[in-house]
Each structure stands twice: as structure tokens, then as C-alpha cells.
Amino acid sequence: MTRRLLVTSALPYANGAIHLGHLLEHIQTDIWVRFQRLRGHEVIYVCADDTHGAATMLKAEEAGVSPETLIESLRVAHAADFQGFLISHDNYYSTHSPENKALSESIYLALRERGLIFTRGVEQLFDPARGMFLADRFVKGNCPRCQSPDQYGDNCDACGATYDAMELGAPRSLLSGATPERRTSDHYFFDLPQYTDFLRGWHERGAVQPEVANKLTEWLDAGLKPWDISRDAPYFGFVIPGTEDKYFYVWLDAPIGYMASFANLLGQRGRSDEFGAWWDRDSTAEVHHFIGKDIVNFHALFWPAMLDGAGYRTPTRIHTHGFVTVDGTKMSKSRGTFINASTYLRHLKPEYLRYYFAAKLNGTVDDIDLNLEDFVARVNSDLVGKIVNIASRCAGFITRLCDGVLAPALHQPELWQRYRDAADSIAGCYERGDTARALREITALADLANQYIAEHAPWTLAKDPAQRDAVRAIATQGVELFRMLMLYLSPVLPGMARATEDFLAIPPLTWSDLDRPLLAHRINAFTPLIGRLEAEAVERMIADEREAHVDVSAPAAASAAPASSDVSAIEPFKPEIGIDDFARIDLRVARIVAASPVEGADKLLRLTLSLGDSERQVFAGIRSAYDPTALVGRLTVVVANLAPRKMRFGTSEGMVLAAGPGGRDIFLLSPDSGAEPGMVVR
RNA sequence: GGCUACGUAGCUCAGCUGGUUAGAGCGCGGCAUUCAUAAUGCUGAGGUCGUUGGUUCAAGUCCAACCGUAGCUACCA
């Protein structure tokens, strides 16, 4: 029976490049998709960029472009990165699209019609300087429980407390530095609690993995809360119908983006009338979402509830994966392990990573570790040494001794049958997402082939012209076993599968090609299908990625650091001074009233500082770490009696204090709230 | 703090509903081989299954506590 499958990967957010984390998910999805296609099912694989939200708006502002320009350039870049990794999206769209707007509005209206939407006043922090409400992410202050300074608006890094942003002590806006005020505005809510029983049933019916179901049960038992689906202007997104200044929260329209990308694809293919066959309540098609474990709540609570509320079918399955770590730790920009797709592709072939991730993915939510040493060893020994080697060591006999034509019969049909018998088990592994097990079974088959070849030693027989047929039979068996292996591996290694088809001079492989061995057939001369993965290339990639995040102009202090140290070197202390020496330095609290980049200077910002009753201009080499607009309004500390210094761009009348090695790691000092410009620091 | 996972040979991982002396691949030692992108075959060494306690005739496998790691804790995306 042919299944109709709509498959998605989570939508990458339009604020940065594609990195290893996105790649894990898309590679996982793509393997599943290609497996299903190989089996002859109808698969549509769509994705898109997730574009809305205050973050996009601010980012565009910072870059000095419109949000539309920003998101389109990122969408193009993202799509190219995915193509580079052989990800076979049928459509890579955007949530900022007419289809998504129409669907979001109609779903919202349907929910409202069913009494699932209500409004309620919500009090939130408001940035008076920027004229906007502040998401938790854009506020910092003191933790209400442990008083740790500099904590975000939702929880405390130091003590783990969770709280409301309004409970923060001495809050300040990260956008303007201003002190936020409390304001109330009406918000629109989706009445999620009405869906508690529905969701419980949906989870129990196997739509999620058991570990995920546990987590969801915990949330359900704790009691669901209505979901706030609106944001006040200014916001980049879709206006809520019937309002002037309320927008859909980005997480409302993001999953609808799956439907919208799908609708757009149908439009391109002139099949728009089929939409309902996939999304109506009685649809017999399947919908599969691949996501990371961090966004389970959106996909397994809000999303199915919204769909059902609006009269659509719910997803068939949510496939949740863990996070990527590199050498056992979180990806880190300074260590060079925050690896971007484009950096990877400059140094390494995509199929190395596809193979390695496939060897690790097992369908659970466990994190996946990219151990770089293991990566090199595994790819070389399995892919090159074990699998490709089978073709490499057999093909020569066929080409040189047999005119390129395979024998008419198998030398050892029982061995071939063992390969054939593995099909169901391997298919089951792919279907469950346990590609690690699939690859274990496949490489075990490869071991059998190498043993077989060693046992029959065709190179010995080849010395005797009378044994020509025996040599051909053995080499044919080897080539055929290799064909079977590549068929099994083709979802993981699509590029190598294509190259294998060229080598064997056969049409694209399908699952039914397992039924009949390739015999009495002319093949092409073998050329290496994939080279070895050089450890040096991996090192170059890491170095490249590390450099991309380090400011070249940063002080060379790091070079003095012991190689074993992860943190920046602690600079040696300077010679002792007396208090009189210190007293000569006039440190003052200053408010940054204006900040702008300096034309012609890479590192400098021009700051206008207020010291109470006077203002002065100071140049600061902090451009690599601070966005000028984010500095305006905030307090800092300035050396007020530093001799003025003439620079190419003007005179600098002081120096602001900052710590850190340089590059992105520059940290401007700021006094606790209450300090006023002009106050002496002592 | 609460919750959810995970913690098995140097490395990466298997070990299904508890049942003989705990497995694989890589790496390492030895032997063989030379067709092959120094790839392959045979063979050897290597583990108190995070710790402690418990249930059981029997526990890596169940329970509890603790330690460690990662994540979640909804109006960040």
C-alpha cells in the first residue's frame, strides 16, 4: 500500500546561519524521507524559515534594512546550505508569505468561532525609550530570590528561580538601557485547558515517543494554562484580524508555516485542490514533524489543539531528537565547535556528516555527540575501509579480466540471500528512526563480504588463466553485494548512491531492486566513490570556525595562555601602588546619550557621554561587541581626567571602562541602579 | 528547587519484557595477506556495567537514595 506522507523539519529562525544543530535535524528527516521514497511511497518534504518576532525586527533595524530584505537573504542562504548537505526539501518557503497569512487568519477565526479565544489585560514591562513591550529576553535585573544581578526576565541562572519579569529588582531594558515601566494591554489567549483531555488521548495513541509522553503527562498533570497568542505593536508579523496593533505571536504562525509551505508547493504544482486530502479531519495521509526536544510543548500541546480547534487533522507523529554536542560539550563559538553549515562545506564532504549522524541517531531524545576523533575513525574505517573497499577490490577483476561484464550467476547464492533477508529488519530500523541500528546491521553485512572475498582470494586464482570464470564469479558476487549495501545506504548517502548507479550503469535504485541480483551486465570502470576523511581537514575547519568568532585585533593575551586552559589567560598583576596613585584617577559615572559607529574605523564607536552637567565625546574600541543603539541610555564608568587624545576621527576626551579579551568578549562596566551621571567612583 | 533522560572496555555505542563465564566497531598487541583509496582476514589483551543500599533463587536489566552530565520548568526564538 502506498502511503502519502507529509514530512517537515522544524523551521530555522531567520536570525542566523544554519549550524550543526539544524543539520542533525534535517539530516535525520532527510534520511527518513529518502527511505520512504525508496520504498515507493509518496512523500512531500517541506520546510521554511521562521521569520516573525521582535528579534527579527530588531535585527533588521540593526542591519539597517527592512525585515523583508533581511529574511529573504537568510532564506536564500539557508536553502543553499541545506542543498549543500543533500537535503531533499520539496519546498523551502517562508512564514512571511501570503499563504501563511491567510491560513493563520482563518485558523484564528475558526478558533474564535468555537469560543476558544478570549482577551485579558496583561501587565508587562514597557520600554519607554523604545516604545515597546519587552519580552523576558530583553530585560535584565536582579533575581528576586537570590539577588544575583544581571538576570533575564524569566529565570535566574544563579539560583534557578523562575519568576515574572516584573519581579526583577532594578530592571533595565537591554534595548535602550532605560528603566522599564509597567503597562497593561489587552492580550489574546487560546483557551488551551479545554484541550487537556483531548491531548492526553492524543499522546496515548502513540503520536510521540515514550520519553516525550512522560514529559507531556507531567505538563498535563500540572494543569495547562491559556496560551497568550498576541503581541503588541511594534512587532514583525501578521496583524490579528479585527485589531489595529495586535500581532500573532510568532509561535502561532510558525507551525502553520508547515501548512503554508505545503500549500505553496501544491500551488507550484497546480494541485491546490489536494490540500484538503492531506489536512482535513478525515485525511488518510500522514503528517510527520521532526523537531528538537526544546520545542516539544509547541508541537505536542499548542499545535494539535489548534489544528483540532480549527477543524483540521492532527499530526500522525512527532519525531523528537536531542541536541548536538561536540566532543561531549555544548557547541562553543570560542572553541570553534559552533560549526556552521557553510564552514563545514568549505572543508568536508556532506556525506561524512550524514553517515556519522546516521550512525548515532536511534530514535530517542538522547543528545548526539559529534566526537571529532571518532568521526574521522568511523567514517574512514566503515565507509572507506569496509564498504567502498568491497567494490574497489572486486571491480578491477571485472574490468581487467572480464571485459567489464559481470558473471551470469551468483557464486554463492546463500550469502546473497542473507543480504536479502536483512531487508525487513533494516527497513524497520529506518522506519523507527533507529538508523544507528540499521547501519550496524549493514556494516555487519559488509564484514561478511570482506570475509567472503578473503576466503576465496580471487587474486590468487587470477594468476591462472584457466580460473578466469571463477575469478569473475567471485568478483561479481562482491560487486553485487556492494550494490545491495549501497541500496540499503542510499537514504544516508544519496550522492554515493548516484555515483554507484553510474559505476554500475543502472537506473536509480529502488527497494524492489533487492529482489534481483545484477548479473551478466556491463559495468563501468571503478573510480573512488569517496575519499578518506583527513583529520587535518577537520582541524582546519575547527580553526576556521574559531577564527570567524575571534576579533583579529584583540589583544594577543590569549597566546600566553596555557594550552590546556579553556578560559582566557589571567593577566599577571601589575606592581603595587599606593592609594595616592589610585586617587589621581578621576573615575565618574557617565550616561551614554549617543553612540554611533565611526566612519573609517573598524573597531571604534563614537560615544557622547553625559557627566551630569557636561557632555563629552569619547571613542571606544567596543564596536565588535556592542550595537550602538543598545548602548544609548545606559550608565557606565569613564576615566574623566585622562588627557584628551587627538585621533584621526576627532578628539577623545576620556576612556570608558570595559573588561574582556576583545572581539565579542568585551564587557562594559555599569554601576548598579541609583547611580547618577557625574558621581565620583572611588 | 521540581521534573525528564542519560552514566556499560581508551573512544563511540549494543544489551528486548531480570536468567549460563557482559557484546560490537574503532583504537592497541601479534600473525597472515597484497586484489583494494595502507584497505582486508585471523587472533590477543582490556570492563568492580556511576556510587551505596534494597527486592529476587537470580540484576547491567526492577526499586530507593546519592553523585555526575544534558535538557525542560509555556507569554525567548
Side-chain angles (χ1 to χ4, degrees):
Chain A
M1 188 191 75
T2 302
R3 294 154 70 188
R4 309 181 96 187
L5 306 160
L6 170 56
V7 187
T8 72
S9 298
L11 312 186
Y13 195 59
N15 71 344
I18 297 304
H19 55 67
L20 280 183
H22 298 111
L23 291 174
L24 172 70
E25 177 168 293
H26 284 75
I27 287 171
Q28 181 189 32
T29 315
D30 191 59
I31 290 171
W32 200 78
V33 161
R34 286 180 185 271
F35 165 70
Q36 301 296 355
R37 290 192 187 123
L38 186 69
R39 300 267 278 175
H41 299 305
E42 180 182 3
V43 184
I44 293 183
Y45 176 20
V46 299
C47 195
D49 261 13
D50 180 18
T51 59
H52 292 152
T56 306
M57 186 179 77
L58 296 165
K59 182 112 184 165
E61 205 173 286
E62 183 185 323
V65 298
S66 70
E68 286 81 0
T69 305
L70 175 74
I71 63 174
E72 182 54 18
S73 66
L74 279 164
R75 193 188 71 82
V76 170
H78 288 181
D81 282 344
F82 286 131
Q83 240 171 37
F85 278 89
L86 311 174
I87 307 298
S88 59
H89 298 127
D90 288 297
N91 197 23
Y92 195 88
Y93 204 41
S94 166
T95 58
H96 195 63
S97 68
E99 291 91 344
N100 202 34
K101 184 166 191 290
L103 280 163
S104 297
E105 288 174 354
S106 75
I107 286 173
Y108 165 79
L109 292 171
L111 296 176
R112 199 177 65 176
E113 188 65 27
R114 289 203 39 198
L116 289 161
I117 303 289
F118 65 87
T119 63
R120 188 166 76 195
V122 172
E123 191 182 30
Q124 274 184 296
L125 293 180
F126 182 85
D127 182 333
R130 297 294 303 254
M132 62 183 285
F133 285 95
L134 294 167
D136 292 347
R137 182 171 200 137
F138 298 121
V139 197
K140 275 193 169 182
N142 303 333
C143 168
R145 189 164 89 185
C146 74
Q147 309 305 322
S148 294
D150 231 29
Q151 297 304 319
Y152 283 109
D154 49 355
N155 65 66
C156 174
D157 268 346
C159 74
T162 58
Y163 42 77
D164 191 288
M166 278 179 302
E167 299 171 40
L168 280 178
R172 65 171 198 285
S173 163
L174 292 183
L175 302 181
S176 67
T179 301
E181 44 193 65
R182 293 165 172 234
R183 278 204 198 175
T184 300
S185 82
D186 282 338
H187 278 240
Y188 288 68
F189 286 84
F190 173 55
D191 198 3
L192 190 65
Q194 290 193 35
Y195 266 90
T196 304
D197 291 338
F198 174 89
L199 290 171
R200 216 182 278 279
W202 186 67
H203 300 147
E204 282 165 4
R205 284 195 300 279
V208 296
Q209 291 117 297
E211 313 93 288
V212 176
N214 285 345
K215 191 74 206 171
L216 292 167
T217 301
E218 182 193 319
W219 282 332
L220 290 174
D221 290 346
L224 298 174
K225 287 184 277 186
W227 184 34
D228 186 348
I229 57 163
S230 72
R231 293 294 180 276
D232 286 308
Y235 196 77
F236 180 58
F238 296 137
V239 174
I240 297 180
T243 76
E244 294 285 317
D245 56 353
K246 306 288 181 189
Y247 289 78
F248 287 126
Y249 173 42
V250 54
W251 264 110
L252 181 110
D253 70 61
I256 297 172
Y258 298 137
M259 298 172 96
S261 183
F262 174 71
N264 175 264
L265 179 74
L266 288 186
Q268 290 175 38
R269 294 181 176 176
R271 291 165 54 183
S272 291
D273 54 320
E274 287 182 29
F275 187 85
W278 296 72
W279 282 102
D280 284 351
R281 225 186 260 284
D282 59 355
S283 166
T284 54
E286 300 175 32
V287 173
H288 294 263
H289 298 303
F290 285 78
I291 63 166
K293 62 187 179 182
D294 52 331
I295 53 176
V296 160
N297 57 338
F298 297 107
H299 286 82
L301 296 178
F302 307 143
W303 178 229
M306 269 169 60
L307 284 170
D308 184 78
Y312 291 107
R313 51 87 48 81
T314 49
T316 310
R317 195 140 53 105
I318 308 287
H319 307 246
T320 307
H321 62 77
F323 293 102
V324 176
T325 56
V326 178
D327 286 342
T329 55
K330 259 194 261 196
M331 300 194 294
S332 145
K333 287 187 176 172
S334 58
R335 269 197 289 271
T337 56
F338 197 96
I339 301 168
N340 281 328
S342 55
T343 311
Y344 176 100
L345 289 173
R346 273 202 299 280
H347 296 275
L348 305 174
K349 292 197 172 69
E351 291 185 306
Y352 298 142
L353 189 67
R354 291 180 65 107
Y355 183 82
Y356 191 74
F357 277 159
K360 291 276 183 107
L361 283 163
N362 59 7
T364 71
V365 301
D366 293 350
D367 290 352
I368 301 294
D369 185 44
L370 170 59
N371 180 289
L372 296 170
E373 215 172 298
D374 184 52
F375 176 44
V376 174
R378 184 140 199 173
V379 164
N380 287 336
S381 68
D382 285 5
L383 261 189
V384 182
K386 214 170 254 187
I387 294 164
V388 176
N389 190 227
I390 295 167
S392 178
R393 65 195 305 202
C394 291
F397 295 114
I398 301 292
T399 305
R400 284 196 307 274
L401 272 51
C402 312
D403 202 22
V405 178
L406 297 171
L410 286 169
H411 179 246
Q412 214 174 84
E414 320 83 66
L415 179 56
W416 184 87
Q417 193 58 41
R418 284 188 70 172
Y419 272 53
R420 179 65 188 82
D421 289 345
D424 285 349
S425 172
I426 291 170
C429 292
Y430 274 124
E431 179 69 40
R432 289 194 309 277
D434 193 352
T435 52
R437 187 176 202 114
L439 293 203
R440 276 202 303 279
E441 296 197 16
I442 294 166
T443 48
L445 292 176
D447 287 338
L448 293 180
N450 279 312
Q451 286 162 19
Y452 161 83
I453 295 164
E455 190 184 330
H456 292 88
W459 52 90
T460 308
L461 300 175
K463 290 170 185 156
D464 178 1
Q467 297 283 356
R468 186 65 43 90
D469 280 353
V471 171
R472 180 160 71 151
I474 295 161
T476 295
Q477 176 96 26
V479 168
E480 166 57 13
L481 296 180
F482 172 72
R483 186 191 68 105
M484 298 280 272
L485 292 173
M486 283 311 301
L487 197 162
Y488 286 138
L489 286 169
S490 64
V492 178
L493 306 168
M496 278 176 64
R498 291 298 85 78
T500 298
E501 289 154 4
D502 289 344
F503 159 54
L504 297 176
I506 54 173
L509 289 161
T510 69
W511 199 256
S512 56
D513 291 324
L514 290 172
D515 296 333
R516 194 169 39 83
L518 185 68
L519 298 167
H521 173 83
R522 183 181 300 278
I523 63 173
N524 292 311
F526 178 81
T527 52
L529 297 173
I530 193 161
R532 296 174 61 79
L533 169 50
E534 303 296 340
E536 295 73 30
V538 174
E539 284 165 19
R540 282 196 297 273
M541 171 182 77
I542 297 296
D544 193 356
E545 195 63 75
R546 197 188 300 126
E547 278 166 25
H549 296 290
V550 172
D551 188 321
V552 286
S553 65
S559 62
S564 62
S565 170
D566 260 355
V567 294
S568 12
I570 301 300
E571 289 188 28
F573 294 104
K574 292 173 184 162
E576 185 176 289
I577 61 169
I579 183 124
D580 292 338
D581 289 315
F582 174 71
R584 294 175 58 208
I585 302 169
D586 194 353
L587 298 174
R588 299 295 179 116
V589 173
R591 185 183 299 285
I592 301 171
V593 296
S596 60
V598 177
E599 286 291 334
D602 293 333
K603 297 178 281 185
L604 292 180
L605 289 183
R606 181 195 312 272
L607 304 178
T608 306
L609 304 177
S610 162
L611 274 71
D613 55 6
S614 65
E615 282 193 359
R616 55 172 76 192
Q617 170 178 276
V618 168
F619 290 96
I622 58 172
R623 186 170 178 178
S624 55
Y626 284 94
D627 169 18
T629 58
L631 288 172
V632 176
R634 69 174 279 182
L635 296 174
T636 186
V637 176
V638 63
V639 184
N641 62 340
L642 191 66
R645 169 101 183 171
K646 277 206 181 104
M647 301 176 72
R648 232 173 77 203
F649 320 97
T651 303
S652 186
E653 309 163 289
M655 185 170 113
V656 294
L657 301 187
R664 290 188 176 194
D665 291 328
I666 296 178
F667 310 98
L668 209 54
L669 263 58
S670 48
D672 276 352
S673 65
E676 290 293 339
M679 282 180 176
V680 174
V681 178
R682 53 169 79 90

